[in-house]
Structure formats: C-alpha cells, structure tokens
Amino acid sequence: MTTKTASVSSVRHNERDVQRLVNWMTAAAWVILGIGVLMCLFNLNHFSDRNTSLMVGLGFMVGSVHIYVIRTAIHLVHSRKQEADDVNSQS
C-alpha cells in the first residue's frame, strides 16, 4: 500500500482554483440568465408550451439559478473549511 501526501504549495494552489471557479460560475450564471431572458422576451408572441424557443429560454433561466446555487454551495463549503483550518492552526 502507498500513502499519498500533499504539500502546502498544492493546497494554496487549490484555494486559488476554487476562487477562480466561483468567479467563473458567477459570470456563467449571469450570462446564461441573460440569454434566457432575451430568448423569452423575443418569443412571447405565442405563449404556449409548444413554443420551443420560449421553453428553451425558460430552461436557460432555471439552469442559471441552478448554476448559481451550486456556486454558492462550493463557496460556502470552501470558506467553512478555510475557517476550520485557521482555527486548527491557531490551536
């Protein structure tokens, strides 16, 4: 059996990657929300479940909320882990 060890530099690198991921997901959620709103506004003339463009626009808007919720969860887990690491290092 082998044991895996991690160096401190790789841990610091992961912290930066998490912040970049959070920023990227925030931007992606807003862009997708904008696309969804535009698609819905341009296709309101026939408000029906058979209007594919309208339904895709609604799907984009719902998807953007899901992306933002996942981004928030990642951010909260990372910040709570960082706080726990700070408390453990001070003890």
Side-chain angles (χ1 to χ4, degrees):
M1 288 195 321
T2 61
T3 9
K4 293 183 181 181
T5 58
S7 65
V8 175
S9 63
S10 69
V11 173
R12 295 292 178 212
H13 183 66
N14 287 339
E15 289 176 7
R16 286 193 306 259
D17 286 347
V18 169
Q19 190 58 40
R20 277 190 2 211
L21 176 67
V22 167
N23 292 338
W24 184 85
M25 288 181 78
T26 302
W30 281 105
V31 167
I32 291 173
L33 178 68
I35 291 170
V37 167
L38 287 175
M39 286 184 75
C40 287
L41 288 177
F42 286 131
N43 295 302
L44 276 177
N45 52 1
H46 178 64
F47 193 79
S48 168
D49 61 344
R50 294 188 183 266
N51 186 348
T52 307
S53 301
L54 179 65
M55 294 298 117
V56 170
L58 288 173
F60 268 84
M61 291 193 306
V62 170
S64 72
V65 172
H66 285 278
I67 291 171
Y68 200 80
V69 167
I70 292 169
R71 168 251 182 237
T72 303
I74 290 171
H75 182 66
L76 288 174
V77 167
H78 176 67
S79 62
R80 182 154 304 176
K81 180 184 177 299
Q82 191 173 15
E83 287 175 8
D85 289 345
D86 291 343
V87 168
N88 288 338
S89 66
Q90 290 176 357
S91 298

